Amino acid sequence: IKNIAMSPNDQLLAIVNNDGTAKIMKFSGQPISQLRGHQGKISQIKFAPEGDLLATAADDATARIWDFQGKQQVELKGHKGQIWEITFSPDGKLLATAGEDGTARIWDISGQKIAILKKHLGRILDITFSSDGKYLATAGWDGTIRIWSRSSGKLLSKLKGKVGNISFSSDGKRLVTGGEDGTANIWNVSGQLLGKLPGHQGVVTSISFSPDG
């Protein structure tokens, strides 16, 4: 097993295998379907917020959207190299992909490309929508975090820091980043540093705001 995701209603699991396939199953262990189609290993799998679809990304430079019966709905092409991260928008209408080629792309779930975000120099390590869906944040291997307008694809702010994970507050106004230096930083969407949370003796590998922000 390479990766695993849980459905929003906590009823289903999606499990990534090492052979470029994935499977959907109930918590009881009852199999639902197999996802077959990628020509390389799957790097990420995510359920849509409504739980009716899920998306996969792989080292064949594609992302794909599936239904629970294992039927491929959409194949998303355009990245040059492996797609490392994917994320659905809060309303489930968009999917963002981030790749080895230093670009992030926004698609609607029918497969139409909405925007290409091109400022990073190197692999994008994490990508996430704000909870209100207005912003998209990316963290890159180039030591920058960038905040974009979801609607226009315009770069709104550029933050500095070698981080591997990012998370928005529930109101969409703040962003927390986890860094290689063991520090978590809190920013507003304009790029102003609001606070530092030091103390870890190693890389911050996961980070999140509480539900109430």
Side-chain angles (χ1 to χ4, degrees):
I1 296 174
K2 286 193 63 181
N3 207 330
I4 192 167
M6 185 183 299
S7 64
N9 64 4
D10 297 334
Q11 299 298 309
L12 299 175
L13 290 174
I15 299 172
V16 173
N17 301 314
N18 285 315
D19 61 358
T21 68
K23 58 186 176 183
I24 304 173
M25 60 188 301
K26 294 183 178 180
F27 269 88
S28 64
Q30 178 184 347
I32 303 297
S33 61
Q34 289 272 345
L35 310 182
R36 299 182 183 275
H38 281 292
Q39 301 304 306
K41 292 184 177 180
I42 296 173
S43 52
Q44 276 290 348
I45 190 165
K46 298 281 179 70
F47 281 94
E50 296 298 320
D52 55 339
L53 297 170
L54 70 164
T56 55
D59 63 9
D60 61 2
T62 71
R64 300 168 192 243
I65 298 175
W66 315 77
D67 64 21
F68 285 174
Q69 286 68 50
K71 183 179 179 181
Q72 180 180 299
Q73 302 295 303
V74 175
E75 180 181 11
L76 306 175
K77 294 182 177 181
H79 282 280
K80 297 178 181 178
Q82 182 165 355
I83 300 175
W84 287 99
E85 293 291 337
I86 50 176
T87 185
F88 281 99
S89 60
D91 61 10
K93 295 180 179 179
L94 301 174
L95 182 74
T97 58
E100 185 75 30
D101 59 4
T103 70
R105 297 164 189 253
I106 304 173
W107 319 75
D108 68 23
I109 58 172
S110 71
Q112 181 180 352
K113 185 166 56 185
I114 304 299
I116 304 177
L117 314 178
K118 291 185 174 181
K119 298 292 185 179
H120 282 287
L121 303 175
R123 172 183 167 185
I124 297 177
L125 303 172
D126 199 11
I127 187 168
T128 187
F129 283 98
S130 61
S131 53
D132 58 8
K134 292 182 179 179
Y135 307 108
L136 184 71
T138 53
W141 194 256
D142 58 2
T144 67
I145 307 102
R146 298 170 191 260
I147 301 175
W148 314 78
S149 166
R150 188 205 76 171
S151 59
S152 69
K154 180 182 178 181
L155 179 63
L156 302 177
S157 56
K158 174 184 173 182
L159 322 175
K160 291 186 178 181
K162 195 66 176 289
V163 306
N165 50 89
I166 47 181
S167 179
F168 277 100
S169 61
S170 57
D171 61 6
K173 295 180 179 179
R174 289 165 294 153
L175 181 74
V176 62
T177 60
E180 290 187 353
D181 62 356
T183 300
N185 292 326
I186 302 173
W187 316 78
N188 63 22
V189 293
S190 298
Q192 179 184 2
L193 181 62
L194 303 177
K196 287 180 170 285
L197 305 175
H200 287 288
Q201 301 303 308
V203 177
V204 179
T205 57
S206 182
I207 197 162
S208 180
F209 280 96
S210 63
D212 61 4

